[in-house]
Amino acid sequence: MILSRQIAAFAALITSASASCSWRTFLEPYSASSAGHVPVSTFNYTGEGGPLHWTGLNPIANWQCGYDSTQSPIAIDSQTIRYARKGTVKIDIPTARMADFENLGSTVEVPASGKLTVKGKVYNLVQFHFHTPSEHRIDEEYSPMEIHFVFQRGKEPHINLLNLKTVLATNPLVVKEKSIAVVGFMVELSPYGRSTPLLTQVFANLHKISTPGSVTKIRQLDFSSVADSLHKNDIFTYTGSLTTPPCSNKISWYISAAPLSLDVVTFNAVKKVVKFNSRYTQNTLGRVNLLEVAAGDIGCAKSQMRVQSDP
């Protein structure tokens, strides 16, 4: 019974290309079209396509969006949240001579390679993308932008509908994002017109991907300024979820306490392309999902709201 439910959940997941935070991980492998375009997200941030209805878009794959109690983003309280011990979180991202820059409709994204090391555990970088405004808040203050570097640990077996039953029988946890970690940076606007070098390099090509589904090339990306910032400053850490469908939990978050910088002109150009793409702040970790709270407020019984039991 458990195996059949896992198969159903995974089948729903891989047949609904959502171009989400898990894009390019083992959950949502990359598949560009022959024309060089990328898939456009099947979810958005407005009306019935937005966060309040993400569970309804795919009740099997996205059930955690509406029922899980450890969802992201959260309001970070710097006085109570855990801090990563100094020197235990390191990123090593070599300079990229060439990289794709993609407009997924829900965000703009750059596939990249690199390493995240946390207490001896090594994760592989798969992509980084942007949210405007920030999804997390620090001491109730939001930032104009937030960057997510998405890593996955180890090499997961290739999974498709043909070998799914065999893979799950030998490793039933393989379809869960337990091995995904996200490193986040807030971005503040510089009063002096300065920008973190990596952001200048990325956004110089923004005008080439103004249309969802479009892709262009970036010729040089230097990550040293971002790595230096992370290593020199405090890092907040907690276990939460993806901030886009399927909202899967058990994601390790590492968020720099010090923001990166961006000039106002570039920021205005970015938000014209990316637009609003931030999920609302979730409930305190461990508390009932806010959608269930709201359903109770309007008299909707939990049994009526829930579309399936937890896997």
Side-chain angles (χ1 to χ4, degrees):
M1 179 63 179
I2 294 176
L3 181 59
S4 64
R5 287 163 68 182
Q6 287 176 315
I7 292 174
F10 187 76
L13 182 61
I14 65 176
T15 54
S16 60
S18 58
S20 69
C21 288
S22 59
W23 184 232
R24 291 184 179 272
T25 68
F26 62 89
L27 288 172
E28 293 186 79
Y30 173 68
S31 57
S33 71
S34 58
H37 296 287
V38 292
V40 175
S41 300
T42 57
F43 67 92
N44 57 50
Y45 293 85
T46 303
E48 293 186 15
L52 295 179
H53 192 54
W54 283 350
T55 297
L57 296 179
N58 192 326
I60 295 177
N62 300 346
W63 72 271
Q64 291 184 83
C65 299
Y67 304 111
D68 181 65
S69 61
T70 55
Q71 288 290 288
S72 298
I74 63 171
I76 294 172
D77 184 339
S78 63
Q79 299 300 311
T80 60
I81 197 168
R82 287 189 298 130
Y83 285 72
R85 292 182 59 185
K86 292 290 185 181
T88 60
V89 178
K90 296 286 187 180
I91 58 174
D92 180 12
I93 308 175
T95 298
R97 302 297 181 188
M98 185 77 72
D100 287 338
F101 189 22
E102 307 166 342
N103 186 334
L104 305 181
S106 59
T107 187
V108 292
E109 174 183 287
V110 179
S113 298
K115 302 289 184 183
L116 164 68
T117 304
V118 181
K119 298 179 180 179
K121 295 181 179 179
V122 179
Y123 297 77
N124 298 311
L125 177 63
V126 290
Q127 47 96 343
F128 63 96
H129 60 270
F130 303 85
H131 292 273
T132 58
S134 68
E135 296 199 299
H136 289 88
R137 303 200 308 265
I138 300 176
D139 294 329
E140 293 298 340
E141 181 180 355
Y142 74 92
S143 295
M145 182 184 293
E146 184 172 344
I147 310 174
H148 293 163
F149 286 77
V150 181
F151 297 80
Q152 66 179 13
R153 183 167 179 246
K155 185 176 181 181
E156 302 292 341
H158 177 70
I159 308 172
N160 55 45
L161 287 177
L162 298 178
N163 70 357
L164 177 60
K165 188 171 183 179
T166 300
V167 171
L168 287 175
T170 57
N171 186 357
L173 296 179
V174 74
V175 299
K176 294 184 179 293
E177 293 98 324
K178 291 179 66 176
S179 57
I180 290 179
V182 182
V183 175
F185 294 89
M186 301 297 161
V187 179
E188 293 292 345
L189 302 184
S190 169
Y192 309 107
R194 298 170 183 167
S195 295
T196 299
L198 176 66
L199 301 186
T200 299
Q201 295 162 6
V202 171
F203 293 137
N205 299 272
L206 185 69
H207 63 285
K208 299 177 182 178
I209 58 164
S210 58
T211 303
S214 57
V215 186
T216 191
K217 295 289 185 182
I218 302 175
R219 295 193 178 278
Q220 184 90 356
L221 289 179
D222 184 351
F223 296 88
S224 59
S225 57
V226 173
D228 289 344
S229 178
L230 183 72
H231 299 157
K232 291 177 181 178
N233 294 288
D234 288 333
I235 301 172
F236 306 124
T237 183
Y238 75 97
T239 301
S241 75
L242 299 176
T243 64
T244 62
C247 308
S248 306
N249 61 14
K250 298 182 180 178
I251 306 301
S252 299
W253 281 91
Y254 303 95
I255 300 175
S256 176
L260 305 178
S261 297
L262 187 65
D263 67 273
V264 174
V265 173
T266 300
F267 172 72
N268 286 337
V270 172
K271 68 187 182 72
K272 284 184 178 180
V273 174
V274 177
K275 306 185 188 304
F276 181 93
N277 69 337
S278 295
R279 189 186 191 192
Y280 62 90
T281 306
Q282 301 297 297
N283 207 353
T284 302
L285 295 172
R287 301 289 296 272
V288 176
N289 191 292
L290 287 177
L291 288 180
E292 291 192 273
V293 173
D297 288 343
I298 61 174
C300 178
K302 191 172 183 178
S303 60
Q304 293 176 307
M305 180 185 172
R306 188 175 292 274
V307 292
Q308 71 160 53
S309 59
D310 297 357

